[in-house]
């Protein structure tokens, strides 16, 4: 009887040891993954890619007319007659429609005031003056041609309704004694930004 109890106790002890051993191996075994996602890493957008806010900006949709004034200037509206000027008061065009043509590029159409004069509803467009010599280029009025690269301008949001305007690697700046020019920044800070003011829907009917 004592022998049988001893054998039963030994068997129970062996079984218990086996269970402990099995439990120890289970703890060491790799556990299945629970599907925890790998932390995402933000990838910066390529240079020149417009932000979603910029793409959705109604002032840059081609459907609104705006006036433009230099933030760091006296607040006079930009005017396009022969040349883009600041508060020239020469009877030029002061209403502009930045029209997207893909990427961050825009054609900036210019119109006269809405006074039922049919010529005011025919657009002119901003164009880099091809007769200028670097480093200071001016902007002139021209017949609109979307395929002309010197009529393509970049517009970059700098704050609420405030933008930097550029052409290729140049930015639209104010130079003392020379007015508004397109110039490389080099290491200089950008000290000319422009405020766009919504003047209503673009609903012109041009002559052609």
């Amino acid at each position: 009887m004592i022998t049988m109890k001893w054998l039963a106790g030994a068997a129970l002890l062996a079984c218990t040891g086996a269970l402990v051993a099995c439990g120890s191996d289970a703890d060491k075994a790799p556990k299945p993954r629970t599907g925890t996602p790998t932390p995402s890493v933000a990838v910066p957008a390529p240079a020149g890619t417009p932000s979603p806010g910029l793409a959705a900006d109604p002032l840059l949709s081609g459907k609104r007319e705006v006036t433009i004034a230099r933030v760091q200037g006296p607040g006079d509206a930009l005017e396009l007659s022969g040349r883009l000027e600041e508060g020239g008061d020469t009877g030029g065009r002061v209403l502009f429609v930045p029209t997207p043509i893909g990427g961050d590029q825009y054609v900036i159409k210019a119109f006269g005031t809405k006074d039922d004069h049919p010529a005011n509803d025919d657009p002119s467009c901003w164009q880099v003056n091809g007769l200028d010599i670097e480093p200071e280029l001016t902007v002139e009025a021209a017949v609109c041609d979307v395929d002309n690269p010197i009529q393509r301008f970049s517009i970059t949001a700098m704050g609420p309704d405030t933008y930097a305007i550029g052409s290729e690697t140049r930015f639209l700046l104010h130079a003392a004694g020379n007015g508004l020019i397109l110039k490389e920044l080099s290491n200089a800070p950008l000290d000319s930004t422009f405020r766009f003011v919504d003047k209503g829907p673009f609903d012109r009917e041009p002559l052609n």
Side-chain angles (χ1 to χ4, degrees), residues 21-204:
C22 290
S24 178
D25 291 342
D27 289 341
K28 294 177 182 178
K31 295 181 180 180
R33 301 192 175 208
T34 59
T36 302
T38 302
S40 59
V41 178
V43 178
T49 302
S51 66
L54 186 60
D57 190 334
L59 299 184
L60 304 180
S61 65
K63 299 178 180 179
R64 310 296 297 181
E65 295 186 1
V66 300
T67 57
I68 302 176
R70 186 165 56 94
V71 173
Q72 297 80 7
D76 296 332
L78 270 56
E79 180 179 6
L80 185 68
S81 49
R83 170 182 170 176
L84 184 66
E85 298 181 271
E86 191 172 22
D89 296 325
T90 60
R93 296 165 183 249
V94 295
L95 293 170
F96 304 105
V97 180
T99 304
I101 57 174
D104 64 348
Q105 298 294 300
Y106 297 81
V107 168
I108 304 178
K109 299 177 180 178
F111 295 88
T113 56
K114 294 181 179 179
D115 59 3
D116 297 324
H117 194 296
N120 286 337
D121 293 333
D122 257 2
S124 294
C125 277
W126 292 24
Q127 177 173 293
V128 180
N129 190 339
L131 299 179
D132 283 342
I133 300 174
E134 296 278 14
E136 298 183 353
L137 306 180
T138 58
V139 176
E140 63 179 354
V143 176
C144 294
D145 180 3
V146 175
D147 296 324
N148 190 342
I150 61 175
Q151 288 190 13
R152 299 172 188 170
F153 292 83
S154 61
I155 302 177
T156 306
M158 303 297 287
D161 302 335
T162 303
Y163 309 85
I165 302 174
S167 172
E168 296 182 338
T169 57
R170 309 175 193 91
F171 284 89
L172 188 62
L173 310 171
H174 179 267
N178 199 10
L180 295 174
I181 58 169
L182 288 163
K183 187 176 180 180
E184 300 273 359
L185 282 181
S186 299
N187 295 323
L190 178 61
D191 60 2
S192 292
T193 56
F194 298 87
R195 180 168 291 111
F196 291 11
V197 178
D198 192 343
K199 292 298 181 179
F202 171 53
D203 55 3
R204 307 283 184 137

